[in-house]
């Protein structure tokens, strides 16, 4: 279950092993997802029951939930479905970002709390999933610049500017973008991982206030690991080694 950099890296690692058949599952949210090795399926399963059916039909031996830390519904579904279908499951969840002496922010429990904290007159850069941005439409007196992966059919709300593209890993590029738009506040989620932290560092370098939404508080289920390498090790430990000829 993918949609993350880590899920792609894992697919690349595991597809190199001829004894394994790897299926990556994407929700289909982005128009041009990065190419993946192995089998790829796209679109929802139709809830827990649909996923149970898929796991049984495809005789899945292990479900790796490598979805985004804020994709809570699919993780709950993956947990329930794997249990119902009696399929082994492991969660790959990258650790959240931590503050350091150069990079500080204020954490908020949810979107509502962030919206309440934005002052009138701010120029806010929203680096959030597209499903989260419409809630900001009711904020008066604030200029919003919204970064979206794909050009939207229409802007999320009238009084905003959309910047299309993915976040850069280069702090200088993120700094240039924030400066170009005269940003005073950066709103983002504590997604963790290497991709995405450059914007936070860029904002801190420029003295821009960072409003960070904390990780959701849903219960993350064990077994849980933080790195691609750990999943590879888990597979090596959990499944007896088979010869290529054993495979279908
Ligand atoms: P979500 O709210 O947890 O899930 C909503 C529904 O989307 C699920 O019930 C499921 O539909 C379908 N779905 C989600 N992930 C899927 C997957 N990997 N394969 C097949 N169906 C999936 O999910 P979300 O937050 O919209 O995220 C969707 C996908 O984008 C995830 O794969 C996630 O890893 C990736 N992503 C999300 C974010 C984010 O900010 N949330 C950021 C980067 C990447 P059914 O119930 O019909 O099965």
């Amino acid at each position: 279950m993918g949609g993350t950099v880590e899920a792609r890296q894992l697919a690349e690692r595991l597809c190199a092993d001829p004894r394994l058949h790897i299926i990556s599952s994407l929700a289909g949210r982005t128009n041009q997802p990065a190419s993946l090795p192995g089998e790829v399926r796209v679109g929802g399963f139709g809830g827990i029951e649909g996923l149970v059916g898929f796991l049984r039909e495809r005789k899945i031996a292990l479900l790796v939930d490598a979805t985004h830390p804020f994709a809570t519904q699919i993780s709950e579904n993956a947990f329930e479905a794997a249990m119902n279908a009696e399929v082994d499951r492991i969660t790959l969840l990258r650790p959240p970002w931590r503050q350091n002496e150069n990079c500080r922010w204020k954490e908020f429990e949810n979107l509502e709390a962030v919206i309440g904290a934005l002052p009138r007159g701010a120029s806010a850069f929203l680096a959030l999933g597209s499903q989260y941005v419409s809630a900001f439409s009711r904020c008066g007196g604030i200029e919003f610049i919204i970064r979206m992966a794909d050009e939207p059919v229409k802007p999320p709300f009238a009084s905003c500017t959309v910047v299309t593209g993915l976040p850069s890993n280069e702090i200088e590029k993120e700094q240039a973008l924030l400066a170009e738009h005269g940003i005073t506040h950066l709103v983002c989620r504590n997604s963790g991982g290497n991709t995405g932290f450059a914007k936070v560092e860029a904002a801190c370098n420029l003295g821009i206030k960072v409003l960070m939404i904390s990780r959701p508080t849903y219960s993350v289920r064990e077994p849980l690991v933080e790195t691609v390498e750990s999943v590879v090790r888990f597979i090596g430990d959990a499944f007896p080694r088979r010869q290529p000829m054993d495979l279908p």
Side-chain angles (χ1 to χ4, degrees), residues 213-246:
I213 301 173
S214 311
R215 288 287 178 90
T217 51
Y218 75 103
S219 53
V220 176
R221 323 286 189 153
E222 298 285 341
L224 167 75
V225 294
E226 293 187 339
T227 64
V228 168
E229 248 345 280
S230 306
V231 180
V232 175
R233 265 202 306 279
F234 177 88
I235 291 173
D237 293 345
F239 295 92
R241 293 186 82 77
R242 295 190 297 177
Q243 298 303 311
M245 63 173 60
D246 293 341

Side-chain angles (χ1 to χ4, degrees), residues 2-3 25-27 29 41 43-47 67-68 70-74 77 131-132 189:
S25 176
L26 303 176
R29 300 274 191 272
R41 65 158 305 287
F45 294 94
T67 57
H68 191 270
F70 282 78
T72 52
Q73 183 63 59
I74 192 64
N77 290 3
Q131 65 270 49
Y132 302 92
R189 297 167 303 164

Side-chain angles (χ1 to χ4, degrees), residues 94-191:
R94 56 200 187 206
W97 295 318
R98 308 256 176 240
Q99 303 195 48
N100 59 50
E101 60 184 25
N102 300 322
C103 221
R104 310 210 69 84
W105 57 78
K106 194 152 186 229
E107 290 241 357
F108 295 85
E109 262 184 29
N110 52 41
L111 215 51
E112 290 306 311
V114 169
I115 289 172
L118 277 173
R120 288 181 80 82
S123 286
F125 188 88
L126 304 185
L128 301 165
S130 54
Q131 65 270 49
Y132 302 92
V133 295
S134 59
F136 290 83
S137 64
R138 63 175 189 268
C139 301
I142 298 172
E143 193 189 346
F144 287 104
I145 288 80
I146 303 176
R147 174 154 60 195
M148 304 182 90
D150 297 312
E151 183 79 47
V153 180
K154 65 181 179 71
F157 50 95
S159 55
C160 72
T161 303
V162 173
V163 177
T164 44
L166 294 171
S168 170
N169 277 335
E170 292 174 42
I171 299 172
E172 297 73 22
K173 282 195 181 158
E174 295 292 73
Q175 254 175 234
L177 181 68
L178 296 173
E180 182 193 336
H181 291 279
I183 299 300
T184 59
H185 294 72
L186 167 68
V187 181
C188 60
R189 297 167 303 164
N190 198 335
S191 298

